[in-house]
Amino acid sequence: MTFCKLVIRNVGKHLRDYSIYFLTLMLSVSLFYAFNSISGQPAFTGMSMTRAMLYDQLSTILSALSLLLAAVLAFLIIYANQFLLKRRKKELGIYMLLGMKKGRISRIFAGETFCVGLAALAAGLGLGLVISQGLSLVAMKLFAVELNQFQPVFSPAAFRQTVLCFALIFFIVMACNVWSVSSVRLIDLLTASRKNENMKKTHPVFPLLFLLLSLALIAAAAVLIRRNGILPSRDSSFFQAAALALAAGTFLFFYALSAVFIRTVRTDSAFCLKGLNTFLVRQIGSKIRTNYFILAIVCGLLTVTICTVSIGASTVFAMNELAQAAAPYDLNVLSDVETDGDSSIAEYLSGQGVEIADYASRMEQISLYDADITYGELFEGQKLSLWPIDEPVPETQVWVISITDFNRALAMQGKEEVQLEEGQYLINCNYKGTWDYIQAALDSHPALTVGGVTLERASDTPLRETCFMTSVGNNDRGTLIVPDHVVSNLEKDLNILLVQYRPEANPDEILAKMIPIGLDEAHGYRYAEKNMMYDAFYGSNALVSFICCYIGLVFLLICAALLALKQLTETADNIYRYELLRKLGASKRQVSRAVFLQTALFFALPLAVAGLYSTVLVDESMKVVEEFMNMHISANVTVTILLFLAVYGSYFLATWLACKRIAEEQGVYGRY
């Protein structure tokens, strides 16, 4: 039989052994191509400047992430091949017993790997081409690009990058396979399927000490992360120490868990002597001890997946909500009274060639005043823990707005007026960074003296309205709403022109005229425009969504594939053990339950530990995102749960059914 025929026959014969491996490779290739092909969509060339800048950043970040993820995928493929090699050792040993040289055996296995890899690459590129079209539509929606501009496209750059990357990975895999086959002995190949894990006997105290030490390291890492956050610092090494402690604690935990688990369960003789529990406990203990390294790696990757997907989804939902609330007008222009004087903003714009009245269906100019108290005085008695961007707030004077101007702003938004009696005050705050402090200040100040006038509290709860827009979203840190006569005793700080466009107005034309106004450093005029803000919000949404989904999907795919491949291999290797149980009188249901419990525990154990880690890391990561983006984010795990059900749950179900099928084909169930 020729070499090529033998390779092709072997691939066909062991097609089911390669099924999950092939599926994983195909999905990896398709995702790799799809995400890297986004930049080839022609519809993105006509985006606004803001969205185009964020889109360029997305392409750059995805390219950088692709290199990192390619290295992780290489680890997955190499590791999976080692399992497949172990699965085939007996067959390769027979080849050697019949006189076939190791070099030829190596070439056969390398040829099989090449055939499966080539087929997976071709299928993955085909699937990736389909996925990339849908991904482009999603990207266009996130970047607020009209869907009618969509064009089906093939990206030669992404194709070349994918082929080169996976060709290099397959070359490394084949080299590793040749070395592995060439270095083993015949006796190892023939007896590989009947070798038990060598459980070295140790003093009973050592595993318990190792487990306690691992828990201490994990707890220490959690404390360091809670106190110092998750960002590395040049001034201290707390983050590095926490990362090392967490990694060491995780590996040590899985390493010691097996012996502690077996010894703990054996103390309950009634449980051990029931059914197949003795066999099951020994199998589970051996599985944990044998695979402690891969369980620790999978736990780390699952932790990253849970954190990235949760943060990405939560950020997107928060920014979508913020985009709606932070832009109630089409345009507002701010004027610094100290720099520009107390004048009409519309008249100034007209003098600069911007006839804003020609574009506006409605305009109102309102004013903000400086109170004679600071936010520090308003927050007196509270322990402040402000975001870094808000550190100057305690020394800043509190803003004040008259009830008439406040109601004019609400009327521009189509909202009902707020009622305020003489001698009363209200507080408006829509900024999450100071909301709690404003609420506490309102509770502790039933009366305030503003501009020499003592005012009583009109409500126990701050309002959450948006008086004017800024480029960074809602940032009203707390504005006092007072009767009109009170502001006459205060110094005016800002004039603000609020504008709603006419239906036929062209926002791009207005923005083009406003750019020189905003760049004029000699004056204090600044503007915020609704479409410009939406570009930033939607662009940021897309940036966060794509990065988190890319990392989450690939890492989750890697974890599920590793566990599935390992479980399938071990199930096939342990077939003779299940046959022996049936000969000893075990029922079909008992054997089926044993296979199911092993598979379920193998998938659930790293996920449970990763879930515990994520409860700490997600919270700390949220704080970093909040400080960076100047906004509050509520953790949303819905998308994470759906993703795990779709990918992780599907792999678990497929693995369980495949293990059951292997047992049935070997006659464990069928002969009885």
Side-chain angles (χ1 to χ4, degrees):
M1 183 179 295
T2 63
F3 174 79
C4 292
K5 287 183 178 180
L6 183 60
V7 168
I8 295 174
R9 192 197 70 171
N10 282 350
V11 171
K13 179 181 176 182
H14 299 281
L15 198 58
R16 286 187 174 177
D17 290 338
Y18 282 110
S19 59
I20 289 185
Y21 175 61
F22 174 84
L23 178 63
T24 302
L25 286 178
M26 182 183 68
L27 292 176
S28 299
V29 171
S30 63
L31 291 174
F32 195 89
Y33 170 83
F35 277 94
N36 284 281
S37 66
I38 297 175
S39 58
Q41 176 56 241
F44 293 116
T45 58
M47 290 190 301
S48 66
M49 184 182 300
T50 304
R51 281 177 289 167
M53 179 182 66
L54 290 169
Y55 174 72
D56 290 339
Q57 290 179 352
L58 172 64
S59 301
T60 303
I61 293 173
L62 287 179
S63 298
L65 282 175
S66 295
L67 297 177
L68 174 63
L69 295 176
V72 179
L73 288 172
F75 167 78
L76 165 66
I77 296 169
I78 293 172
Y79 198 85
N81 265 271
Q82 295 306 307
F83 285 136
L84 292 174
L85 178 61
K86 181 180 179 181
R87 178 78 179 91
R88 303 278 303 285
K89 276 186 175 181
K90 185 174 181 179
E91 177 189 346
L92 300 180
I94 294 175
Y95 288 153
M96 190 180 297
L97 190 64
L98 294 174
M100 189 177 293
K101 300 295 182 181
K102 286 186 177 181
R104 184 173 176 81
I105 296 175
S106 300
R107 289 194 297 273
I108 290 175
F109 199 78
E112 292 180 29
T113 304
F114 175 78
C115 289
V116 174
L118 188 63
L121 182 62
L125 287 171
L127 180 61
L129 184 62
V130 176
I131 294 176
S132 66
Q133 311 309 315
L135 201 60
S136 294
L137 289 171
V138 174
M140 292 172 64
K141 186 68 176 177
L142 288 172
F143 280 102
V145 178
E146 293 295 331
L147 296 183
N148 57 15
Q149 300 181 30
F150 169 78
Q151 299 178 28
V153 65
F154 170 75
S155 174
F159 176 82
R160 288 192 300 269
Q161 187 177 3
T162 305
V163 171
L164 289 175
C165 178
F166 281 87
L168 178 61
I169 292 174
F170 291 143
F171 176 79
I172 297 173
V173 167
M174 287 189 290
C176 291
N177 288 340
V178 170
W179 179 83
S180 297
V181 174
S182 301
S183 60
V184 297
R185 298 179 301 170
L186 176 60
I187 188 64
D188 294 328
L189 293 174
L190 294 176
T191 62
S193 63
R194 291 180 175 267
K195 282 190 175 181
N196 293 318
E197 170 66 12
N198 185 18
M199 302 287 284
K200 295 182 180 179
K201 292 185 178 181
T202 59
H203 194 281
V205 176
F206 289 150
L208 181 59
L209 290 177
F210 288 154
L211 185 63
L212 293 176
L213 178 59
S214 70
L215 295 176
L217 289 172
I218 294 171
V223 171
L224 288 173
I225 291 173
R226 282 290 190 186
R227 290 182 177 179
N228 304 282
I230 61 171
L231 289 180
S233 173
R234 295 181 179 179
D235 301 328
S236 66
S237 57
F238 289 114
F239 173 79
Q240 292 84 343
L244 288 174
L246 188 61
T250 303
F251 280 102
L252 201 57
F253 173 80
F254 285 109
Y255 178 78
L257 182 61
S258 172
V260 174
F261 170 75
I262 293 176
R263 286 189 171 91
T264 301
V265 174
R266 281 179 176 175
T267 59
D268 188 352
S269 57
F271 174 81
C272 288
L273 296 177
K274 183 179 179 181
L276 299 180
N277 287 350
T278 299
F279 168 79
L280 188 60
V281 168
R282 185 67 181 179
Q283 284 289 99
I284 292 174
S286 177
K287 189 181 295 291
I288 296 173
R289 181 62 180 271
T290 304
N291 302 296
Y292 76 92
F293 180 81
I294 192 62
L295 288 174
I297 294 294
V298 168
C299 177
L301 293 177
L302 286 176
T303 302
V304 174
T305 300
I306 294 172
C307 292
T308 53
V309 176
S310 299
I311 293 169
S314 301
T315 303
V316 167
F317 293 144
M319 294 190 71
N320 279 335
E321 180 182 351
L322 184 61
Q324 300 288 334
Y329 317 110
D330 291 321
L331 172 72
N332 63 217
V333 184
L334 283 71
S335 171
D336 186 343
V337 173
E338 183 179 356
T339 304
D340 304 311
D342 187 8
S343 58
S344 169
I345 298 176
E347 291 180 2
Y348 173 81
L349 295 177
S350 178
Q352 300 298 313
V354 184
E355 297 292 344
I356 197 68
D358 294 342
Y359 304 99
S361 63
R362 184 172 181 180
M363 292 191 302
E364 294 285 358
Q365 181 167 311
I366 63 174
S367 301
L368 293 178
Y369 299 81
D370 284 331
D372 43 10
I373 59 172
T374 64
Y375 285 101
E377 294 171 335
L378 187 64
F379 300 155
E380 187 177 3
Q382 300 185 49
K383 184 178 180 180
L384 301 181
S385 180
L386 298 171
W387 294 339
I389 195 173
D390 298 325
E391 290 178 357
V393 167
E395 288 75 37
T396 306
Q397 290 176 290
V398 179
W399 268 341
V400 180
I401 187 173
S402 68
I403 184 63
T404 298
D405 279 357
F406 188 78
N407 283 329
R408 287 163 65 196
L410 292 181
M412 287 280 290
Q413 304 173 37
K415 296 182 178 180
E416 295 184 2
E417 294 184 348
V418 173
Q419 301 300 318
L420 185 66
E421 302 293 335
E422 288 293 329
Q424 292 184 329
Y425 78 92
L426 292 166
I427 294 183
N428 185 70
C429 178
N430 58 24
Y431 182 63
K432 299 295 179 67
T434 57
W435 170 264
D436 292 336
Y437 305 121
I438 289 294
Q439 177 65 71
L442 191 59
D443 294 338
S444 61
H445 290 83
L448 275 177
T449 301
V450 182
V453 180
T454 301
L455 303 172
E456 299 292 331
R457 182 179 58 204
S459 173
D460 296 333
T461 306
L463 301 176
R464 286 182 176 269
E465 304 296 341
T466 300
C467 293
F468 64 98
M469 303 186 303
T470 65
S471 59
V472 292
N474 287 331
N475 66 349
D476 187 343
R477 293 170 171 83
T479 301
L480 294 174
I481 306 169
V482 301
D484 293 352
H485 68 87
V486 176
V487 298
S488 61
N489 302 324
L490 302 176
E491 183 178 350
K492 187 179 291 188
D493 182 33
L494 293 175
N495 284 323
I496 307 169
L497 179 66
L498 311 176
V499 182
Q500 297 287 18
Y501 295 154
R502 294 178 180 176
E504 67 275 11
N506 185 350
D508 292 335
E509 180 182 343
I510 301 172
L511 270 178
K513 294 183 177 182
M514 290 299 302
I515 289 176
I517 305 294
L519 296 177
D520 185 2
E521 297 293 340
H523 296 85
Y525 293 95
R526 297 295 178 264
Y527 67 91
E529 205 271 341
K530 184 174 185 176
N531 291 325
M532 181 179 66
M533 293 176 63
Y534 268 40
D535 286 350
F537 282 128
Y538 283 118
S540 300
N541 278 348
L543 199 65
V544 172
S545 298
F546 271 90
I547 293 173
C548 291
C549 288
Y550 188 29
I551 295 175
L553 277 172
V554 174
F555 278 10
L556 184 57
L557 183 67
I558 290 169
C559 294
L562 280 174
L563 295 176
L565 287 166
K566 179 59 177 173
Q567 182 61 28
L568 282 172
T569 303
E570 292 194 350
T571 300
D573 289 344
N574 289 322
I575 284 299
Y576 76 95
R577 293 185 174 94
Y578 297 116
E579 290 180 338
L580 182 59
L581 289 175
R582 290 306 309 270
K583 291 176 182 178
L584 293 174
S587 66
K588 171 183 175 181
R589 182 177 181 181
Q590 287 177 313
V591 175
S592 177
R593 178 175 175 269
V595 175
F596 175 80
L597 289 177
Q598 289 181 68
T599 306
L601 185 138
F602 199 55
F603 274 79
L605 183 58
L607 180 60
V609 178
L612 292 176
Y613 290 171
S614 299
T615 57
V616 176
L617 295 176
V618 167
D619 184 49
E620 294 300 320
S621 300
M622 291 292 184
K623 294 178 182 178
V624 174
V625 175
E626 287 176 346
E627 293 179 1
F628 176 75
M629 303 185 71
N630 197 28
M631 59 185 288
H632 178 74
I633 298 172
S634 299
N636 189 304
V637 297
T638 303
V639 175
T640 307
I641 294 173
L642 292 176
L643 184 62
F644 271 80
L645 288 176
V647 179
Y648 201 74
S650 298
Y651 261 93
F652 164 71
L653 182 60
T655 304
W656 151 240
L657 293 176
C659 291
K660 186 177 180 181
R661 185 178 64 246
I662 290 173
E664 290 172 345
E665 290 175 350
Q666 295 293 336
V668 173
Y669 303 150
R671 295 201 305 266
Y672 298 89

PDB file of all heavy atoms in Angstrom, residues 131-148:
ATOM      1  N   ILE A 131     -19.122  33.880   7.964  1.00  0.00           N
ATOM      2  CA  ILE A 131     -19.237  34.575   9.247  1.00  0.00           C
ATOM      3  C   ILE A 131     -18.812  36.034   9.118  1.00  0.00           C
ATOM      4  O   ILE A 131     -19.403  36.929   9.728  1.00  0.00           O
ATOM      5  CB  ILE A 131     -18.388  33.861  10.319  1.00  0.00           C
ATOM      6  CG1 ILE A 131     -18.958  32.472  10.603  1.00  0.00           C
ATOM      7  CG2 ILE A 131     -18.330  34.677  11.612  1.00  0.00           C
ATOM      8  CD1 ILE A 131     -18.130  31.660  11.575  1.00  0.00           C
ATOM      9  N   SER A 132     -17.791  36.285   8.303  1.00  0.00           N
ATOM     10  CA  SER A 132     -17.284  37.656   8.174  1.00  0.00           C
ATOM     11  C   SER A 132     -18.327  38.602   7.600  1.00  0.00           C
ATOM     12  O   SER A 132     -18.343  39.793   7.937  1.00  0.00           O
ATOM     13  CB  SER A 132     -16.024  37.667   7.301  1.00  0.00           C
ATOM     14  OG  SER A 132     -16.331  37.290   5.964  1.00  0.00           O
ATOM     15  N   GLN A 133     -19.205  38.081   6.736  1.00  0.00           N
ATOM     16  CA  GLN A 133     -20.256  38.942   6.182  1.00  0.00           C
ATOM     17  C   GLN A 133     -21.241  39.350   7.280  1.00  0.00           C
ATOM     18  O   GLN A 133     -21.635  40.516   7.388  1.00  0.00           O
ATOM     19  CB  GLN A 133     -20.996  38.220   5.051  1.00  0.00           C
ATOM     20  CG  GLN A 133     -20.100  37.583   3.999  1.00  0.00           C
ATOM     21  CD  GLN A 133     -19.054  38.525   3.433  1.00  0.00           C
ATOM     22  OE1 GLN A 133     -19.327  39.683   3.105  1.00  0.00           O
ATOM     23  NE2 GLN A 133     -17.820  38.022   3.314  1.00  0.00           N
ATOM     24  N   GLY A 134     -21.644  38.379   8.104  1.00  0.00           N
ATOM     25  CA  GLY A 134     -22.519  38.707   9.226  1.00  0.00           C
ATOM     26  C   GLY A 134     -21.837  39.602  10.237  1.00  0.00           C
ATOM     27  O   GLY A 134     -22.452  40.524  10.796  1.00  0.00           O
ATOM     28  N   LEU A 135     -20.549  39.363  10.463  1.00  0.00           N
ATOM     29  CA  LEU A 135     -19.793  40.189  11.402  1.00  0.00           C
ATOM     30  C   LEU A 135     -19.685  41.621  10.888  1.00  0.00           C
ATOM     31  O   LEU A 135     -19.721  42.578  11.667  1.00  0.00           O
ATOM     32  CB  LEU A 135     -18.407  39.586  11.608  1.00  0.00           C
ATOM     33  CG  LEU A 135     -17.654  39.974  12.873  1.00  0.00           C
ATOM     34  CD1 LEU A 135     -18.438  39.567  14.110  1.00  0.00           C
ATOM     35  CD2 LEU A 135     -16.282  39.317  12.892  1.00  0.00           C
ATOM     36  N   SER A 136     -19.553  41.780   9.595  1.00  0.00           N
ATOM     37  CA  SER A 136     -19.504  43.127   9.014  1.00  0.00           C
ATOM     38  C   SER A 136     -20.821  43.860   9.228  1.00  0.00           C
ATOM     39  O   SER A 136     -20.835  45.060   9.521  1.00  0.00           O
ATOM     40  CB  SER A 136     -19.187  43.044   7.519  1.00  0.00           C
ATOM     41  OG  SER A 136     -17.889  42.550   7.298  1.00  0.00           O
ATOM     42  N   LEU A 137     -21.929  43.141   9.100  1.00  0.00           N
ATOM     43  CA  LEU A 137     -23.238  43.763   9.344  1.00  0.00           C
ATOM     44  C   LEU A 137     -23.367  44.209  10.800  1.00  0.00           C
ATOM     45  O   LEU A 137     -23.878  45.297  11.089  1.00  0.00           O
ATOM     46  CB  LEU A 137     -24.351  42.785   8.988  1.00  0.00           C
ATOM     47  CG  LEU A 137     -24.553  42.484   7.495  1.00  0.00           C
ATOM     48  CD1 LEU A 137     -25.543  41.348   7.302  1.00  0.00           C
ATOM     49  CD2 LEU A 137     -25.034  43.740   6.756  1.00  0.00           C
ATOM     50  N   VAL A 138     -22.905  43.356  11.726  1.00  0.00           N
ATOM     51  CA  VAL A 138     -22.935  43.726  13.141  1.00  0.00           C
ATOM     52  C   VAL A 138     -22.055  44.942  13.386  1.00  0.00           C
ATOM     53  O   VAL A 138     -22.430  45.880  14.109  1.00  0.00           O
ATOM     54  CB  VAL A 138     -22.481  42.545  14.011  1.00  0.00           C
ATOM     55  CG1 VAL A 138     -22.373  42.957  15.472  1.00  0.00           C
ATOM     56  CG2 VAL A 138     -23.449  41.383  13.873  1.00  0.00           C
ATOM     57  N   ALA A 139     -20.865  44.959  12.782  1.00  0.00           N
ATOM     58  CA  ALA A 139     -19.957  46.092  12.957  1.00  0.00           C
ATOM     59  C   ALA A 139     -20.565  47.374  12.399  1.00  0.00           C
ATOM     60  O   ALA A 139     -20.445  48.449  13.005  1.00  0.00           O
ATOM     61  CB  ALA A 139     -18.625  45.799  12.267  1.00  0.00           C
ATOM     62  N   MET A 140     -21.221  47.274  11.256  1.00  0.00           N
ATOM     63  CA  MET A 140     -21.865  48.451  10.677  1.00  0.00           C
ATOM     64  C   MET A 140     -22.964  48.976  11.587  1.00  0.00           C
ATOM     65  O   MET A 140     -23.132  50.193  11.741  1.00  0.00           O
ATOM     66  CB  MET A 140     -22.431  48.097   9.299  1.00  0.00           C
ATOM     67  CG  MET A 140     -21.369  47.818   8.248  1.00  0.00           C
ATOM     68  SD  MET A 140     -22.060  47.181   6.697  1.00  0.00           S
ATOM     69  CE  MET A 140     -23.049  48.580   6.179  1.00  0.00           C
ATOM     70  N   LYS A 141     -23.702  48.057  12.215  1.00  0.00           N
ATOM     71  CA  LYS A 141     -24.753  48.475  13.137  1.00  0.00           C
ATOM     72  C   LYS A 141     -24.156  49.169  14.353  1.00  0.00           C
ATOM     73  O   LYS A 141     -24.647  50.219  14.804  1.00  0.00           O
ATOM     74  CB  LYS A 141     -25.555  47.244  13.566  1.00  0.00           C
ATOM     75  CG  LYS A 141     -26.775  47.560  14.432  1.00  0.00           C
ATOM     76  CD  LYS A 141     -27.834  48.301  13.654  1.00  0.00           C
ATOM     77  CE  LYS A 141     -29.080  48.511  14.493  1.00  0.00           C
ATOM     78  NZ  LYS A 141     -30.106  49.295  13.785  1.00  0.00           N
ATOM     79  N   LEU A 142     -23.078  48.606  14.897  1.00  0.00           N
ATOM     80  CA  LEU A 142     -22.447  49.191  16.078  1.00  0.00           C
ATOM     81  C   LEU A 142     -21.810  50.537  15.772  1.00  0.00           C
ATOM     82  O   LEU A 142     -21.800  51.444  16.611  1.00  0.00           O
ATOM     83  CB  LEU A 142     -21.399  48.228  16.642  1.00  0.00           C
ATOM     84  CG  LEU A 142     -21.940  46.977  17.340  1.00  0.00           C
ATOM     85  CD1 LEU A 142     -20.812  46.034  17.680  1.00  0.00           C
ATOM     86  CD2 LEU A 142     -22.713  47.350  18.592  1.00  0.00           C
ATOM     87  N   PHE A 143     -21.257  50.681  14.569  1.00  0.00           N
ATOM     88  CA  PHE A 143     -20.629  51.944  14.180  1.00  0.00           C
ATOM     89  C   PHE A 143     -21.617  52.892  13.509  1.00  0.00           C
ATOM     90  O   PHE A 143     -21.214  53.922  12.979  1.00  0.00           O
ATOM     91  CB  PHE A 143     -19.447  51.691  13.235  1.00  0.00           C
ATOM     92  CG  PHE A 143     -18.192  51.263  13.931  1.00  0.00           C
ATOM     93  CD1 PHE A 143     -17.796  49.942  13.936  1.00  0.00           C
ATOM     94  CD2 PHE A 143     -17.411  52.184  14.603  1.00  0.00           C
ATOM     95  CE1 PHE A 143     -16.644  49.540  14.577  1.00  0.00           C
ATOM     96  CE2 PHE A 143     -16.253  51.800  15.249  1.00  0.00           C
ATOM     97  CZ  PHE A 143     -15.867  50.471  15.237  1.00  0.00           C
ATOM     98  N   ALA A 144     -22.906  52.546  13.548  1.00  0.00           N
ATOM     99  CA  ALA A 144     -23.974  53.394  13.014  1.00  0.00           C
ATOM    100  C   ALA A 144     -23.771  53.719  11.539  1.00  0.00           C
ATOM    101  O   ALA A 144     -23.974  54.839  11.098  1.00  0.00           O
ATOM    102  CB  ALA A 144     -24.093  54.686  13.827  1.00  0.00           C
ATOM    103  N   VAL A 145     -23.367  52.712  10.747  1.00  0.00           N
ATOM    104  CA  VAL A 145     -23.224  52.858   9.302  1.00  0.00           C
ATOM    105  C   VAL A 145     -24.477  52.288   8.643  1.00  0.00           C
ATOM    106  O   VAL A 145     -24.999  51.248   9.069  1.00  0.00           O
ATOM    107  CB  VAL A 145     -21.968  52.112   8.797  1.00  0.00           C
ATOM    108  CG1 VAL A 145     -21.850  52.213   7.281  1.00  0.00           C
ATOM    109  CG2 VAL A 145     -20.724  52.672   9.462  1.00  0.00           C
ATOM    110  N   GLU A 146     -24.987  52.971   7.633  1.00  0.00           N
ATOM    111  CA  GLU A 146     -26.198  52.511   6.952  1.00  0.00           C
ATOM    112  C   GLU A 146     -25.981  51.119   6.359  1.00  0.00           C
ATOM    113  O   GLU A 146     -25.002  50.872   5.654  1.00  0.00           O
ATOM    114  CB  GLU A 146     -26.577  53.488   5.834  1.00  0.00           C
ATOM    115  CG  GLU A 146     -27.012  54.862   6.331  1.00  0.00           C
ATOM    116  CD  GLU A 146     -28.294  54.798   7.142  1.00  0.00           C
ATOM    117  OE1 GLU A 146     -29.111  53.877   6.879  1.00  0.00           O
ATOM    118  OE2 GLU A 146     -28.484  55.646   8.031  1.00  0.00           O
ATOM    119  N   LEU A 147     -26.918  50.195   6.647  1.00  0.00           N
ATOM    120  CA  LEU A 147     -26.759  48.817   6.207  1.00  0.00           C
ATOM    121  C   LEU A 147     -26.880  48.662   4.697  1.00  0.00           C
ATOM    122  O   LEU A 147     -26.396  47.670   4.135  1.00  0.00           O
ATOM    123  CB  LEU A 147     -27.805  47.930   6.900  1.00  0.00           C
ATOM    124  CG  LEU A 147     -27.697  47.827   8.431  1.00  0.00           C
ATOM    125  CD1 LEU A 147     -28.745  46.850   8.959  1.00  0.00           C
ATOM    126  CD2 LEU A 147     -26.304  47.395   8.865  1.00  0.00           C
ATOM    127  N   ASN A 148     -27.519  49.629   4.028  1.00  0.00           N
ATOM    128  CA  ASN A 148     -27.638  49.526   2.574  1.00  0.00           C
ATOM    129  C   ASN A 148     -26.305  49.742   1.866  1.00  0.00           C
ATOM    130  O   ASN A 148     -26.187  49.546   0.661  1.00  0.00           O
ATOM    131  CB  ASN A 148     -28.689  50.498   2.038  1.00  0.00           C
ATOM    132  CG  ASN A 148     -28.384  51.951   2.425  1.00  0.00           C
ATOM    133  OD1 ASN A 148     -27.284  52.291   2.850  1.00  0.00           O
ATOM    134  ND2 ASN A 148     -29.387  52.807   2.281  1.00  0.00           N
TER     135      ASN A 148
END
